[in-house]
Amino acid sequence: MIPVPLLVCVMGGWCAVYLTDTLLKSSVKHRIRYESWLAGRGLMLSPFHVRWQTTMFNRLFAYCARINPRAQYLWFNSGLVFGVVAMVGSVVLLIRTLQQTLAQMTSDNPRMGNQQTLQVVVPGINLPTSQLAYFFMALLLSGVIHELGHAVAALREQVRVNGFGIFVFVVYPGAFVDLFTTHLNIISPVQQLRIFCAGVWHNFVLCLAALAFLFLLPIFLFPVYSTGGGALVSEVVQGAAADGPRGLSVGDIVVGLEDCPVKGVEDWSSCLSHLSHSPQTGYCVPSSSLQPSWAHGRAFKRLDGTFDCCSNNSLTDLCFSYMKPQGKNSKEREYACMPVRKMVMGTQVCRTDEDCTAHTEVASICVTPSLENQTRFIRVTHPPNTHMLFVGYPPHLQYAVSLTNFVPRFGFLHLDLPVFLETFCKYVVSLSGALAVVNSVPCFALDGQWMLNALLEATLVTVVTDRQRRELIGFFLLLAGSALLAANVALGLWMVTAR
């Protein structure tokens, strides 16, 4: 469900704005002055919607439209081709997404939801409230670049731009350009298509630019941040598995998980995934050092079939299993409750006793933590501190900490700067790409409506000479596209909020 505090804040804010607007417009004394103030600043208010429009950027748009006309001709023609391809591709993608959603609705596998290319985003549910600022900034930037493309393309085709504006609908920001309709209607369909396709084309280019910046970020930040030396801990969730005096702290550099080296965040995730799907590793312990400390206890079977031998719920002891030294040819195992940190610190990992004898001449035995099936014992290496010892479900460790690939070269540098740039670029890639796809759909009230109408006028005029028939064909295509998009949004919202 949507978080109640967030819903109360949004509804309360809009109610306060709408109530104030209604009172001022109903006031005999303040009505004229208030409406003049709104008109002078280009503001318009309606329930859950506020819009601001200005002409101050018209000169900037006109200047951009005059830069290198030949290059811009090729640029917007490339946008035309991309727009037509994207219109077809968006329909295919929506059909595929709808199939995935329907398959997920009939499946109990929770991982199928992560396989969808497009997902409905609802703040506070599948979008963390801590990242709302990234979401809204990236969405606004994508909208502004989208409308910049429309404005420049329109001025190139001799269509007047009345103004540029920004709006907020409920909580979602956006941008728009107001084009002079008379000029737009008298130009050719190909010219119209260049204008209508320019928005999604610029969103696609912005997506590629953000992706390139994200890929080259280590090079840009190389003078002040290093990479490849481990994963830097930027945040530890309070009370989580990695928190505590012997846990991880902000500023620690993780270089390994068991025998899996960690050079960055990607290695951290892949190592945890590998450890969670692999059998529990053992540790080579000299037999001579183990003998005095073996505390033989009666092992009892857990509900999942595994064994435990530490019945006192000690935080320092753990049940280990090992092959009987006298019976290596048999599969009989013994269990002993041992002090975990003493047993595993500085020891080599193993699978069998032979792995221990292959690396040392000292008689050693391979002891393995006896844990529940989904639980793992993991040593986290973060020098110069001693190992952090984790016992639990590996994904819990992944959710307990936030890491970054960038390690500051100087003490005064902030840890969050690379994190901010990385996160913002990822949101720009996702949202700008999503806007390019959604706006390409032949759907009423989206760019795809005007792109489809202009495309039909440019291609079917010699095949279907009757204009009304062309409009009828366009209407049914738009109806189908609108139904497809509405089905994706409705089912996507149901999947996000109801399950």
Side-chain angles (χ1 to χ4, degrees), residues 259-260 269-279 281 351 376:
D259 57 341
C260 185
S269 300
S270 63
C271 286
L272 281 177
S273 177
H274 171 73
L275 292 172
S276 63
H277 293 93
S278 302
T281 54
R351 299 293 179 185
R376 293 291 183 272

Side-chain angles (χ1 to χ4, degrees), residues 431-473:
L431 293 175
S432 190
L435 283 179
V437 171
V438 173
N439 272 290
S440 300
V441 179
C443 172
F444 293 108
L446 294 179
D447 286 349
Q449 175 183 356
W450 316 113
M451 291 164 57
L452 178 65
N453 290 337
L455 181 63
L456 294 179
E457 287 297 320
T459 56
L460 294 185
V461 66
T462 57
V463 180
V464 182
T465 56
D466 187 6
R467 183 181 180 88
Q468 290 185 345
R469 289 186 178 182
R470 293 197 302 271
E471 291 179 350
L472 189 61
I473 293 173

Side-chain angles (χ1 to χ4, degrees), residues 80-387:
L80 184 152
V81 174
F82 172 80
V84 174
V85 173
M87 186 161 45
V88 178
S90 64
V91 173
V92 175
L93 186 58
L94 285 180
I95 293 174
R96 178 60 179 164
T97 303
L98 187 60
Q99 291 175 342
Q100 291 173 340
T101 304
L102 292 174
Q104 185 185 359
M105 291 173 64
T106 57
S107 172
D108 295 329
N109 185 3
R111 294 183 179 180
M112 291 191 64
N114 298 326
Q115 299 174 358
Q116 289 181 292
T117 306
L118 293 175
Q119 287 185 337
V120 176
V121 176
V122 180
I125 297 182
N126 59 348
L127 174 66
T129 53
S130 60
Q131 296 190 358
L132 286 178
Y134 293 109
F135 176 81
F136 290 133
M137 286 191 299
L139 186 60
L140 183 59
L141 175 63
S142 301
V144 169
I145 296 300
H146 179 101
E147 298 303 331
L148 175 64
H150 285 313
V152 176
L155 290 172
R156 278 201 70 260
E157 305 299 341
Q158 306 303 315
V159 175
R160 190 178 76 192
V161 176
N162 295 328
F164 166 83
I166 295 175
F167 68 88
V168 175
F169 177 70
V170 188
V171 294
Y172 295 97
F176 65 93
V177 288
D178 182 15
L179 303 181
F180 191 54
T181 307
T182 303
H183 290 175
L184 192 61
N185 290 334
I186 62 176
I187 60 177
S188 68
V190 175
Q191 290 177 298
Q192 293 177 355
L193 200 55
R194 289 196 196 102
I195 297 173
F196 298 140
C197 292
V200 297
W201 169 239
H202 277 70
N203 276 137
F204 175 70
V205 172
L206 177 62
C207 179
L208 292 182
L211 196 61
F213 183 83
L214 187 63
F215 180 76
L216 298 174
L217 191 59
I219 298 176
F220 295 147
L221 296 181
F222 178 77
V224 287
Y225 291 89
S226 63
T227 57
L232 178 70
V233 178
S234 59
E235 183 183 1
V236 180
V237 178
Q238 189 175 4
D243 191 24
R246 289 192 174 182
L248 297 175
S249 303
V250 174
D252 287 351
I253 301 177
V254 178
V255 298
L257 296 171
E258 290 299 341
D259 57 341
C260 185
V262 175
K263 296 183 179 179
V265 179
E266 295 78 12
D267 291 340
W268 164 272
S269 300
S270 63
C271 286
L272 281 177
S273 177
H274 171 73
L275 292 172
S276 63
H277 293 93
S278 302
Q280 174 64 54
T281 54
Y283 305 92
C284 295
V285 179
S287 301
S288 59
S289 64
L290 275 175
Q291 289 288 349
S293 64
W294 283 354
H296 295 276
R298 182 181 178 86
F300 57 91
K301 186 179 288 189
R302 301 187 183 97
L303 294 177
D304 63 349
T306 59
F307 288 88
D308 192 9
C309 57
C310 295
S311 57
N312 57 353
N313 296 323
S314 172
L315 297 178
T316 60
D317 297 338
L318 193 66
C319 184
F320 289 84
S321 68
Y322 55 92
M323 298 298 295
K324 274 189 176 182
Q326 298 85 3
K328 291 186 178 180
N329 294 329
S330 68
K331 294 185 178 181
E332 187 176 356
R333 304 189 72 87
E334 286 189 351
Y335 297 86
C337 189
M338 307 177 189
V340 58
R341 187 168 289 274
K342 181 179 179 181
M343 292 299 102
V344 303
M345 291 303 292
T347 58
Q348 187 168 343
V349 297
C350 59
R351 299 293 179 185
T352 62
D353 291 343
E354 287 73 16
D355 295 337
C356 299
T357 57
H359 295 89
T360 179
E361 297 179 356
V362 180
S364 300
I365 189 170
C366 185
V367 299
T368 305
S370 180
L371 303 168
E372 296 176 285
N373 287 330
Q374 299 298 323
T375 305
R376 293 291 183 272
F377 175 85
I378 301 174
R379 294 182 304 183
V380 181
T381 307
H382 57 121
N385 304 302
T386 58
H387 290 86

